[in-house]
């Protein structure tokens, strides 16, 4: 627990990134990776969905069929770079070896926070009018990622069939490369349950591409490494549709590879935010005063089309 507290202190000691707020919803769904950027102060965001998982893994502890729902609540407070979240999951596992044939209940309740420690800035080439070559040349700074960090706690407030003996923790480094205004690559490096014997490491790499102002798709690869177990690899893909600046629907599918058993996962869901964000501007001639300005509403997918505000 002390290590987690020290990590949170490190969050607030690093002040090298500018604040960034997207004028449309910035959802983690439908992929599994997470952006280093927060949703902005005074924004309440709900990301929920239904899922189905099927596996013929010969290990008896792995259910053949799982149905469930999940909810991620995100809240920005205190700083544009800081976000708190609460993740809930309820599931029903069909288990042939269980006396009742299944188990069900709240399988996860995780609380955490992430902090943006570095935001990469890019050259505004729209103002370059003297050189066609410079205007359309690739900005090599885009290969340098924005960086965030996450810390979370898997609590014991779950159903008895899913309860573990001790609390466990999750740490992650979150990287984002804006390759173009439409193409974004996310990389997550994760150490989960690191305080227990079930500790494992995971990477997630996600490429998201905005087809137009309403549609985007993603492809994703993840790998998991755990002592005494063979590595696990998965591939996922899916679509998201932006209904309006505060509402998104999605669908995704994923499967495994390099294993001697099959695994399928399907999910569909929705993300909605209650936006109470205000930009705060300070003026040098007003030493003790600030002016709060409500953000302007612009087009869809501002995150991927460059309509961002610092």
């Amino acid at each position: 627990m002390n290590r987690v507290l020290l990590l949170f202190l490190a969050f607030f000691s690093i002040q090298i990134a500018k604040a960034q707020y997207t004028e449309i919803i910035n959802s983690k769904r439908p992929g599994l990776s997470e952006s280093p950027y927060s949703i902005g102060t005074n924004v309440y965001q709900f990301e929920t969905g239904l899922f189905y998982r099927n596996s013929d893994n010969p290990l008896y502890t792995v259910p053949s069929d799982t149905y469930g729902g999940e909810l991620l609540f995100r809240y920005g407070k205190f700083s544009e770079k800081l976000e708190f979240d609460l993740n809930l999951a309820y599931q029903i596992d069909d288990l042939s070896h269980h006396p009742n044939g299944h188990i069900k209940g709240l399988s996860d309740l995780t609380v955490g926070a992430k902090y943006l420690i570095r935001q990469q800035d890019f050259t505004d080439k729209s103002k370059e009018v003297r050189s066609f070559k410079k205007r359309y040349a690739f900005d090599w700074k885009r290969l340098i990622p924005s960086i965030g960090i996450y810390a979370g706690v898997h609590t014991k407030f779950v159903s008895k069939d899913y309860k573990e003996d001790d609390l466990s923790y999750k740490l992650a480094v979150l990287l984002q490369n804006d390759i173009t205004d439409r193409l974004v690559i996310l990389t997550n490096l994760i150490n989960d349950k690191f305080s227990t014997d079930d500790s494992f490491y995971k990477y997630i790499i996600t490429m998201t591409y905005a087809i137009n102002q309403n549609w985007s798709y993603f492809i994703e690869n993840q790998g998991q490494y755990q002592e005494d177990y063979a590595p696990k690899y998965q591939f996922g893909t899916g679509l998201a549709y932006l209904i309006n600046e505060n509402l998104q629907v999605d669908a995704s599918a994923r499967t495994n590879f390099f294993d001697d058993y099959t695994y399928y996962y399907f999910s569909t869901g929705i993300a909605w935010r209650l936006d109470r964000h205000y930009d705060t501007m300070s003026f040098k001639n007003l030493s003790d005063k600030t002016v709060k300005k409500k953000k302007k509403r612009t087009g869809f997918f501002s995150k991927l089309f460059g309509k961002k505000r610092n």
Side-chain angles (χ1 to χ4, degrees):
M1 188 66 180
N2 290 335
R3 285 181 289 181
V4 175
L5 293 175
L6 289 173
L7 185 59
F8 273 97
L9 291 175
F11 283 174
F12 295 101
S13 66
I14 303 174
Q15 299 290 333
I16 57 177
K18 296 181 181 178
Q20 184 177 60
Y21 164 80
T22 57
E23 294 177 341
I24 59 132
I25 189 169
N26 175 12
S27 174
K28 178 181 176 180
R29 296 186 60 89
L32 299 179
S33 62
E34 187 163 356
S35 166
Y37 295 109
S38 74
I39 55 177
T41 55
N42 300 316
V43 175
Y44 306 81
Q45 189 156 309
F46 301 84
E47 304 179 16
T48 185
L50 301 174
F51 65 87
Y52 167 74
R53 182 171 64 233
N54 174 271
S55 174
D56 61 1
N57 191 319
L59 297 177
Y60 76 94
T61 57
V62 178
S64 59
D65 290 285
T66 297
Y67 312 82
E70 54 194 354
L71 169 67
L72 174 64
F73 171 68
R74 303 168 64 184
Y75 176 53
K77 192 63 176 177
F78 305 122
S79 169
E80 294 287 349
K81 296 173 283 186
L82 177 64
E83 174 184 312
F84 301 95
D85 66 55
L86 175 106
N87 192 78
L88 294 169
Y90 183 94
Q91 66 187 60
I92 303 171
D93 296 326
D94 289 337
L95 298 174
S96 58
H97 69 279
H98 195 274
N100 296 329
H102 68 273
I103 60 174
K104 62 181 179 179
L106 188 67
S107 58
D108 182 37
L109 196 163
T110 300
V111 294
K114 71 175 177 180
Y115 191 78
L116 177 68
I117 61 176
R118 182 185 187 279
Q119 177 182 326
Q120 178 62 24
D121 295 319
F122 313 115
T123 303
D124 183 5
K125 294 188 176 183
S126 64
K127 299 178 181 179
E128 177 59 62
V129 296
R130 293 177 296 178
S131 172
F132 179 88
K133 182 177 180 180
K134 289 183 178 180
R135 184 181 178 92
Y136 292 99
F138 181 73
D139 186 354
W140 292 98
K141 292 197 298 292
R142 290 181 177 271
L143 298 180
I144 303 174
S146 299
I147 305 172
I149 192 166
Y150 171 89
V153 180
H154 299 294
T155 73
K156 298 175 66 175
F157 300 108
V158 296
S159 301
K160 62 179 182 178
D161 291 315
Y162 301 97
K163 187 171 294 186
E164 298 181 349
D165 294 333
D166 300 307
L167 292 174
S168 61
Y169 308 102
K170 178 180 179 180
L171 296 176
V173 176
L174 315 173
L175 309 175
Q176 176 170 322
N177 293 91
D178 294 79
I179 303 302
T180 70
D181 290 340
R182 292 173 179 260
L183 177 64
V184 172
I185 295 178
L186 299 176
T187 304
N188 291 181
L189 306 174
I190 303 166
N191 181 197
D192 206 349
K193 299 185 178 181
F194 71 88
S195 60
T196 70
D197 294 336
D198 297 324
S199 174
F200 62 88
Y201 295 91
K202 178 189 291 187
Y203 74 83
I204 307 175
I205 301 175
T206 308
M207 184 201 76
T208 301
Y209 183 77
I211 303 170
N212 54 39
Q213 291 185 332
N214 296 92
W215 288 97
S216 68
Y217 75 89
F218 81 96
I219 57 175
E220 185 173 86
N221 169 247
Q222 67 168 316
Q224 179 175 315
Y225 306 91
Q226 186 174 11
E227 188 176 357
D228 299 327
Y229 290 91
K232 300 177 182 178
Y233 300 97
Q234 291 184 9
F235 172 81
T237 187
L239 289 167
Y241 180 76
L242 193 68
I243 297 176
N244 58 49
E245 62 187 0
N246 295 316
L247 183 63
Q248 171 193 293
V249 293
D250 62 75
S252 65
R254 61 187 68 247
T255 187
N256 62 332
F257 54 96
F258 298 145
D259 292 322
D260 57 0
Y261 63 91
T262 59
Y263 173 92
Y264 298 103
Y265 180 95
F266 302 97
S267 176
T268 184
I270 188 170
W272 174 78
R273 72 174 180 178
L274 177 62
D275 187 359
R276 294 293 182 263
H277 180 270
Y278 282 84
D279 290 333
T280 302
M281 299 180 294
S282 299
F283 297 92
K284 292 182 179 179
N285 59 336
L286 300 176
S287 57
D288 298 323
K289 297 181 180 180
T290 61
V291 177
K292 288 187 176 181
K293 180 182 178 184
K294 189 72 172 78
K295 52 90 179 176
K296 295 180 180 178
R297 300 186 181 274
T298 60
F300 295 145
F301 279 17
S302 59
K303 176 183 174 184
L304 295 177
F305 283 94
K307 295 184 182 297
K308 300 175 181 177
R309 173 168 299 152
N310 289 335

